[in-house]
Amino acid sequence: MDLLNRYLQAVRFWLPDPENQDITAELEEDIRSQIEANEAERGRPLNQVEIETILKIWGPPLLVAQRFLPQRYLIGPTLFPVYALVLKLSLLFWVGPWLLIWLAFVVFDPSYRDGNTVFRAIQSLWVAVVAGFAIITLGFALLQRHQASTRFLEKWNPRKLPAVIDPNRIPRCSAISELVWDGILTFWWMDALRLPVSHSATFSLAPVWHSLYWPILVMLASTTALAAVNSIQPWWTRPRAGFRLAIDILGLAIIAILLSAGPLVIVSISNASTEKVHNLSTWINVPVQITALIIAVSFALRGIQDARRLYGMPPFMHRVLRVLTGD
Amino acid sequence: MNADLFENLRLELRRGCLILAVLAQLRTEQYGYVLRKALAERGLTIDENTLYPLLRRLEIQGLLVSQWREEEKRNKRFYRLSGEGEVILGQLAAEWRSINGSLNGIL
């Protein structure tokens, strides 16, 4: 019976005090009854293999004990969908931009391509991801422990639920803010191609901007006009979707030309070494190029949505896509 | 895949029925091993890992009472229905008959 005692000891290990003795005594009684019934049937004592077979049918000690334990969660089924959403959002708005910025530095600045720098970057990303994951998980585990999710869910009010999303509806506030912003940008573009000048350093736009003056002006003026129409009639129509698709394509073409032209901002500093000028130029141009890349991605995704609207199909309603396209 | 799905649905269907069967069987005092055999003889098999946690839960809920007693030179834990358990069993049995009647009509 050594095998039986070892089995019961293993089950007892996973059970809490003080019930563990009581539970294992009851299980022992059942197993012994089974063994006796088998022995009576065969007319001889069971050997080790036969006892082992009985214990295998009972199952692994942890699983046997687990059936007696209360169900416990680090993050329960009620809170889990919110936890998963927060993790996805942090991945999108934290790790995503980090990766994008890092990739842009690698693409636009050769000094970021050596092995050590790449290793350090991956190491710091890994630490940031693990730390973020741990902090979010810990926060939700604490919420779960204090059953905050239940209280939060009890407070719900049907009237406070978000309105049904109409894929062709344009939020009026978003159309108006777009109108104001695009208007300011258009006037700035028409008026001057100058950037702030400091006493010691001068920043000017690269020649490629000058050659793209008219295409950029057309794009900005078209966007402003569209935003003006959208703020009066805030819903998408096929002609307007087609018009914005044309703006998206023009925007993509402009950004492609800009990114292939090298530095977009020319830096000149009086009485400064070439290395210092180069470093400052890198630190200014890389963020500008990253911004251009992000805008290009947004144009491309928005173009897909506009093309779908143009052909009478509903736009994709994925949350991430809607955030990235600003729809 | 279909076999797994059927097994999951079968277990779900049986879960509530087992509680009713255990409560009904414990109108007379029995210990775990004998209870399991009695249910199996009536065509309702229940494995050990389901029965003992269920007995504990029902006892905590006040539907069963138990007592350790020596029988055939071994200590055994005997269970029987409590007063509250009898009331609940009556209500559950009525519910079962109602569901059974409705289901027979639907099926």
Side-chain angles (χ1 to χ4, degrees), chain A residues 19 22-23 25-27 29-30 32-34 36-37 58-59 64 67-68, chain B residues 31-33 36 47-50 52-53 55-56 68 74-77 79:
Chain A
E19 300 102 310
D22 195 56
I23 292 171
E26 193 172 17
L27 299 184
E29 203 294 311
D30 191 296
R32 285 190 189 279
S33 296
Q34 278 187 46
E36 278 176 14
W58 271 78
V64 172
R67 305 292 291 268
F68 290 91
Chain B
Y31 63 93
Y33 182 72
R36 207 153 53 79
D47 75 79
E48 309 86 345
N49 290 321
T50 304
Y52 289 106
L55 288 173
R56 285 201 160 250
W68 281 99
R74 272 221 311 269
N75 266 334
K76 291 167 182 178
R77 187 177 197 158
Y79 291 91

Side-chain angles (χ1 to χ4, degrees), chain A residues 168-202:
Chain A
N168 288 321
R169 191 89 198 162
I170 304 164
R172 203 182 286 268
C173 60
S174 123
I176 292 171
S177 64
E178 204 173 328
L179 174 65
V180 172
W181 171 245
D182 289 340
I184 292 169
L185 210 58
T186 309
F187 283 117
W188 174 80
W189 186 253
M190 286 165 69
D191 183 46
L193 279 174
R194 289 187 297 272
L195 285 167
V197 178
S198 79
H199 293 299
S200 55
T202 308

Side-chain angles (χ1 to χ4, degrees), chain B residues 10 20 29 38 42 55 64 70 92 99:
Chain B
R10 190 180 74 88
L20 188 58
E29 194 181 58
R42 287 169 177 251
L55 288 173
L64 299 179
E70 195 178 302
L92 285 177
I99 293 172

Side-chain angles (χ1 to χ4, degrees), chain A residues 214-226:
Chain A
W214 284 107
I216 291 174
L217 183 61
V218 168
M219 185 183 72
L220 288 174
S222 308
T223 312
T224 310
L226 185 64

Side-chain angles (χ1 to χ4, degrees), chain A residues 92 244-245 248-249 252 293-309 315-316 318-327:
Chain A
L92 181 70
R244 198 172 75 163
L245 179 61
D248 298 334
I249 294 167
L252 276 173
L293 258 181
I294 293 169
I295 295 171
V297 171
S298 176
F299 272 143
L301 296 174
R302 216 172 69 167
I304 294 169
Q305 300 286 61
D306 291 334
R308 287 182 69 86
R309 284 194 181 101
F316 293 116
H318 195 281
R319 273 186 296 240
V320 174
L321 200 60
R322 291 180 54 227
V323 169
L324 289 174
T325 57
D327 270 355

Side-chain angles (χ1 to χ4, degrees), chain A residues 157-168:
Chain A
N157 181 347
R159 288 183 191 184
K160 288 182 181 169
L161 291 172
V164 175
I165 298 165
D166 178 352
N168 288 321

Side-chain angles (χ1 to χ4, degrees), chain A residues 9-252:
Chain A
Q9 178 183 269
V11 174
R12 196 179 301 124
F13 175 81
W14 296 107
L15 292 168
D17 281 329
E19 300 102 310
N20 54 8
Q21 295 294 341
D22 195 56
I23 292 171
T24 45
E26 193 172 17
L27 299 184
E28 180 180 5
E29 203 294 311
D30 191 296
I31 298 170
R32 285 190 189 279
S33 296
Q34 278 187 46
I35 291 170
E36 278 176 14
N38 271 282
E39 285 176 343
E41 203 177 296
R42 292 164 205 241
R44 60 167 175 82
L46 294 189
N47 61 33
Q48 287 285 89
V49 176
E50 287 160 340
I51 294 174
E52 197 180 312
T53 309
I54 291 176
L55 295 179
K56 276 192 173 166
I57 292 170
W58 271 78
L62 174 59
L63 288 186
V64 172
Q66 181 257 325
R67 305 292 291 268
F68 290 91
L69 300 172
Q71 280 198 320
R72 281 179 293 192
Y73 306 101
L74 184 64
I75 296 162
T78 314
L79 211 51
F80 192 82
V82 188
Y83 167 69
L85 179 68
V86 171
L87 276 185
K88 279 184 201 166
L89 288 177
S90 65
L91 201 69
L92 181 70
F93 291 108
W94 184 10
V95 180
W98 194 100
L99 268 177
L100 205 64
I101 291 167
W102 176 67
L103 279 173
F105 270 103
V106 171
V107 170
F108 297 119
D109 187 350
S111 69
Y112 280 82
R113 288 175 209 162
D114 80 274
N116 275 340
T117 317
V118 170
F119 177 74
R120 274 202 304 276
I122 291 171
Q123 200 180 25
S124 65
L125 174 65
W126 175 246
V127 170
V129 168
V130 171
F133 178 76
I135 290 166
I136 292 168
T137 306
L138 188 69
F140 274 89
L142 286 172
L143 277 178
Q144 177 69 42
R145 195 170 173 80
H146 293 97
Q147 297 186 322
S149 59
T150 323
R151 286 199 291 277
F152 165 71
L153 290 172
E154 277 167 5
K155 283 181 191 165
W156 85 286
N157 181 347
R159 288 183 191 184
K160 288 182 181 169
L161 291 172
V164 175
I165 298 165
D166 178 352
N168 288 321
R169 191 89 198 162
I170 304 164
R172 203 182 286 268
C173 60
S174 123
I176 292 171
S177 64
E178 204 173 328
L179 174 65
V180 172
W181 171 245
D182 289 340
I184 292 169
L185 210 58
T186 309
F187 283 117
W188 174 80
W189 186 253
M190 286 165 69
D191 183 46
L193 279 174
R194 289 187 297 272
L195 285 167
V197 178
S198 79
H199 293 299
S200 55
T202 308
F203 307 103
S204 57
L205 293 176
V208 66
W209 290 97
H210 298 270
S211 60
L212 287 171
Y213 177 83
W214 284 107
I216 291 174
L217 183 61
V218 168
M219 185 183 72
L220 288 174
S222 308
T223 312
T224 310
L226 185 64
V229 177
N230 286 348
S231 41
I232 299 162
Q233 294 180 323
W235 56 87
W236 286 110
T237 59
R238 280 192 185 186
R240 267 188 272 162
F243 188 68
R244 198 172 75 163
L245 179 61
I247 297 174
D248 298 334
I249 294 167
L250 177 63
L252 276 173

